[in-house]
Amino acid sequence: FFPSKVSLSFKGMKDNLLYAFYSWPVPFVIYLNIWLSQRIIIEKLTVYDLGVYSAANVFVAIISVFQGGFGVYWSAFMFENYKKKQDLIIKVHDYLTFFIVAAMAILIISQDLILALLGEKYQACKSFFGLVMVSPLLMMMSETTSYGISLSKSAYWTVIAIVASTIFNIVGCVILIPIWGLQGAAISSLIAGLLQYTIRTVVGQRLYQSIARVSRMVFAVAIIVALAFASWFLTKNGLSLKLVGFVGLLFALFIYRNLFKNILKKRQNNA
């Protein structure tokens, strides 16, 4: 039942320990970011406003569940296949990016219906609903853009990205909440998320390429951000907001049209 010889290998132990060392601050910094932003909202506004802002974050939590599920699968897939299936990894990035842009457009189009179904208390977060969606959607997208950091065991870049975005978010809350209220907090969260996504993606792509066309990815992010601000500016004009959402969806279909062309070709060839 027991092996006659037991061999231990410490090869790569230093790299693994350093990776773990640089990873441990991440949950603490994320918690600190949430706690400080909540304290600023209470100080600058009211406890009621914090409740309204927290209600909007229910949708953030739902997106985070999808991100977590995808991340569990994608992590194992990346470490096993990053050397031999890079073309497939690039395709997955394109599919995921299109899905995220399309999901944002659909959320904007159906925003009034979603909030009406959830109840009256969610109506108060209508003006910044789209703004708070951006950061979690970008974090989900970064699952396919930043894995070079994990593959190279350079976890300190993740810490740098999260710390930088946290500092920006807190400073942004202090400056923008007195000006725009909860919309200011949402804008600060959006820009902080965009900063974190940019740092992780730029570094991740230098270490491992998973984006075929950077310009297409940038355009996709621009659509998401534009839709978010449209949901704020057009809060009281539901018809115009829906129109903007449809335009955003059409843009996404256009810039990723080759994906669907390839699918159709494969089906025709297999027919």
Side-chain angles (χ1 to χ4, degrees), residues 2-53:
F2 299 99
S4 57
K5 292 183 179 180
V6 177
S7 61
L8 297 176
S9 175
F10 295 95
K11 184 179 180 181
M13 180 66 73
K14 180 181 177 181
D15 292 337
N16 291 330
L17 288 175
L18 285 174
Y19 183 80
F21 176 77
Y22 287 121
S23 297
W24 75 264
V26 171
F28 171 76
V29 176
I30 292 174
Y31 174 80
L32 182 66
N33 182 30
I34 296 171
W35 183 79
L36 286 176
S37 59
Q38 289 177 344
R39 297 306 303 174
I40 294 169
I41 290 173
I42 293 174
E43 181 180 338
K44 301 293 183 181
L45 301 173
T46 65
V47 175
Y48 172 79
D49 291 306
L50 176 61
V52 172
Y53 194 75

Side-chain angles (χ1 to χ4, degrees), residues 3 9 18-19 36 41 67 74 98 120 137 139 158 172-173 181-182 189 208 240 249:
S9 175
L18 285 174
Y19 183 80
L36 286 176
I41 290 173
Q67 178 190 349
W74 191 243
F98 168 77
E120 186 177 347
L137 287 174
M139 292 307 99
T158 299
C173 284
L182 292 179
S189 173
Y208 182 83
S240 297
L249 185 57

Side-chain angles (χ1 to χ4, degrees), residues 75-150:
S75 175
F77 181 87
M78 281 294 296
F79 278 102
E80 182 178 355
N81 299 292
Y82 73 94
K83 290 183 179 179
K84 55 187 177 181
K85 294 186 178 180
Q86 188 171 13
D87 290 341
L88 177 59
I89 289 167
I90 290 173
K91 288 180 181 178
V92 171
H93 163 73
D94 285 336
Y95 284 118
L96 180 66
T97 303
F98 168 77
F99 167 78
I100 289 173
V101 178
M104 182 65 177
I106 293 170
L107 283 172
I108 295 302
I109 293 169
S110 57
Q111 171 179 301
D112 291 338
L113 177 61
I114 293 172
L115 295 178
L117 290 174
L118 289 175
E120 186 177 347
K121 68 177 182 179
Y122 287 93
Q123 294 297 317
C125 64
K126 185 177 180 179
S127 61
F128 58 90
F129 174 80
L131 296 171
V132 298
M133 295 293 105
V134 175
S135 183
L137 287 174
L138 290 180
M139 292 307 99
M140 186 172 181
M141 195 187 300
S142 71
E143 293 286 344
T144 60
T145 66
S146 63
Y147 245 93
I149 294 173
S150 297

